[in-house]
Amino acid sequence: MAGRHPGRAAEALEQCRDTRRLFAQDLGLDPGARLRELEKRMRDGDEDPDR
C-alpha cells in the first residue's frame, strides 16, 4: 500500500494502528501474524510491504 504511494507510509501506519486499536477495544482481538508482518515491513520502509 505505502510502496505504491510514496510519502503515504505515515498514513498507512496510522491506519494500521487505528485498526489494531478498534479490533482490540471493540472485538477483543489482536492482529494476526500477516497484519503484524505488514506493519513491521511498513515501519522498516519496505518498498513493497504487501507482497
Side-chain angles (χ1 to χ4, degrees), residues 1-2 7-21 35-46 49:
M1 174 169 46
R8 299 195 59 195
E11 287 180 49
L13 283 169
E14 183 177 354
Q15 194 71 5
C16 279
R17 284 192 299 269
D18 291 347
T19 300
R20 179 187 291 250
R21 189 176 315 113
L35 184 57
R36 289 191 310 266
E37 181 63 24
L38 173 62
E39 187 175 0
K40 179 185 181 311
R41 286 181 182 173
M42 287 190 300
R43 282 194 317 267
D44 292 347
D46 190 327

Side-chain angles (χ1 to χ4, degrees), residues 17-31:
R17 284 192 299 269
D18 291 347
T19 300
R20 179 187 291 250
R21 189 176 315 113
L22 282 172
F23 277 33
Q25 291 175 352
D26 295 350
L27 303 173
L29 298 173
D30 291 325

